[in-house]
Amino acid sequence: MSEVKLTQLSHGGGCGCKIAPALLQEILGAVKEKLPFPDLLVGAETSDDAAVYRLNDQQAVIATTDFFMPIVDDPFDFGRIAATNALSDVYAMGGTPILALAIVGMPINKLPVETIRAILQGGEAVCKAAGIPLAGGHSIDSVEPIYGLVALGIVHPDRLKRNNSAQAGDVLILGKGLGIGVLAAALKKGVLSAAGYAQMISATTQLNAVGSALSAMDGVHALTDVTGFGLLGHLLEICRGSGLGAELKFSQVPVLPEALPLAQQGIGPGAIERNLASYGHEVNFAPQLENWQRRLLADAQTSGGLLASVAPEAVEEVLGCFRRAGFEQAAVIGAMRSNDEIGRQGAPRVSVI
């Protein structure tokens, strides 16, 4: 298995495989109509992390799917990362996972059975850690290796956390450091150190289970996770859904230590340029920010951290919740603002200072 280079079998990896935000919007159409089902609490209209359907007054089911091509060469690690990333969407809605199904597409003429089995075992290990069964799935023979999960979860309808309910004056908290895309690009170039790889695996396999605890906090107004569109892209989804603007302080944004010098050298995935081309016009960067800093905020994260919009009086409680769950880099990174100019053509929604 050590001779198989999974990343060489695919044109992209991890959440960097996502279709660029602007192209995705063009494909889906400019208007996402709310479907006429009263128990469908969350559909596609606000680009949220998962669909949510109310079963009764006490329970709503969360449904999501996520899959991608290899971000690392080790098959077990690839399976773990993909599964962790898929379950994150359930946690980002404030839910608790209950069941998963595997999505498997493999070039069976290029990969040994042992390699494919190791990928699936990585996914199984994460589901076991999350306390849920990996109860089946579907597989195809594909040109490039693909793995991920269909994830189902449960949440009380009153504790559901959406990405469109931020309030002006809210404080923004990010749970994990940025830089996963940078580390992945360095790996593919053959310049990632052993320490960098260890940090990458540690971050991408850390379950965002803290989202289940955040669901019980009234002060957490909005919640999402940061993945392929980068921090700016997913923050913009909160802004658009909530009808607000935001201000980020770059000096407060956590960055994975091993990724920082690589980002400063200009290393990063092609998804950065695609992301900035899609939404850069909605962001006002302070003149003193360097190009690598702008790029890092658009870096495609795979299994990235939760981004919470929190009432000021709840900040310490929320940070404490992150810390107790093992998210040592969790930090306040900015705030939500009312923006009277949002309706004006070309007006930025996010300012970065």
Side-chain angles (χ1 to χ4, degrees):
M1 286 190 294
S2 61
E3 297 180 357
V4 177
K5 298 294 185 182
L6 291 175
T7 56
Q8 294 180 6
L9 297 178
S10 60
H11 73 282
C15 288
C17 298
K18 276 190 173 183
I19 295 173
L23 179 57
L24 181 61
Q25 184 64 39
E26 184 179 345
I27 293 170
L28 296 178
V31 178
K32 298 177 181 178
E33 295 183 0
K34 184 173 177 61
L35 297 175
F37 296 92
D39 288 318
L40 182 64
L41 302 181
V42 182
E45 59 275 1
T46 60
S47 301
D48 219 322
D49 296 292
V52 183
Y53 191 89
R54 179 171 47 212
L55 300 176
N56 51 55
D57 291 342
Q58 303 296 316
Q59 295 174 311
V61 65
I62 301 170
T64 184
T65 182
D66 213 311
F67 52 90
F68 46 61
M69 290 163 282
I71 190 173
V72 294
D73 291 317
D74 183 276
F76 186 75
D77 285 344
F78 170 41
R80 292 169 66 205
I81 294 168
T84 304
N85 180 75
L87 293 179
S88 182
D89 285 340
V90 174
Y91 295 126
M93 305 302 298
T96 301
I98 57 173
L99 174 72
L101 303 172
I103 301 169
V104 183
M106 296 291 155
I108 58 174
N109 62 330
K110 296 179 181 179
L111 288 179
V113 170
E114 293 79 7
T115 298
I116 299 174
R117 183 182 297 127
I119 294 171
L120 271 59
Q121 288 171 339
E124 291 167 359
V126 166
C127 288
K128 182 178 180 180
I132 64 170
L134 184 52
H138 184 65
S139 61
I140 62 169
D141 182 4
S142 64
V143 177
E144 296 179 302
I146 297 170
Y147 182 71
L149 300 179
V150 172
L152 300 178
I154 204 82
V155 67
H156 191 290
D158 295 340
R159 292 184 173 181
L160 172 66
K161 299 300 181 182
R162 302 194 56 170
N163 70 352
N164 68 342
S165 49
Q167 298 180 18
D170 277 357
V171 174
L172 291 166
I173 296 176
L174 179 62
K176 293 183 183 181
L178 301 183
I180 293 300
V182 171
L183 294 174
L187 175 66
K188 202 156 189 176
K189 289 177 177 289
V191 297
L192 184 65
S193 67
Y197 184 80
Q199 193 167 87
M200 177 182 174
I201 298 302
S202 176
T204 54
T205 58
Q206 184 178 20
L207 286 164
N208 279 323
V210 66
S212 300
L214 296 178
S215 72
M217 299 183 183
D218 292 337
V220 178
H221 294 151
L223 194 63
T224 190
D225 63 348
V226 178
T227 55
F229 298 158
L231 173 59
L232 288 174
H234 295 286
L235 174 57
L236 280 164
E237 289 178 337
I238 291 179
C239 290
R240 296 185 198 109
S242 305
L244 297 170
E247 180 181 86
L248 287 184
K249 296 181 179 179
F250 185 87
S251 62
Q252 296 179 195
V253 175
V255 181
L256 295 171
E258 293 291 330
L260 183 57
L262 297 169
Q264 291 171 334
Q265 296 170 38
I267 294 175
I272 291 178
E273 283 73 27
R274 295 195 298 273
N275 284 341
L276 286 173
S278 293
Y279 55 64
H281 62 285
E282 295 186 80
V283 183
N284 180 36
F285 294 103
Q288 70 270 19
L289 290 176
E290 297 184 37
N291 187 53
W292 71 266
Q293 294 173 310
R294 297 182 178 92
R295 285 169 49 83
L296 189 57
L297 295 175
D299 183 36
Q301 304 303 287
T302 297
S303 191
L306 294 180
L307 177 61
S309 183
V310 179
E313 63 271 18
V315 168
E316 291 306 316
E317 181 184 11
V318 172
L319 281 175
C321 190
F322 272 108
R323 298 274 193 271
R324 289 189 296 274
F327 294 89
E328 297 177 357
Q329 283 196 285
V332 170
I333 63 169
M336 301 299 298
R337 303 290 190 223
S338 58
N339 189 341
D340 295 334
E341 294 189 341
I342 283 177
R344 183 172 60 83
Q345 186 176 6
R349 289 183 180 272
V350 174
S351 295
V352 186
I353 61 174

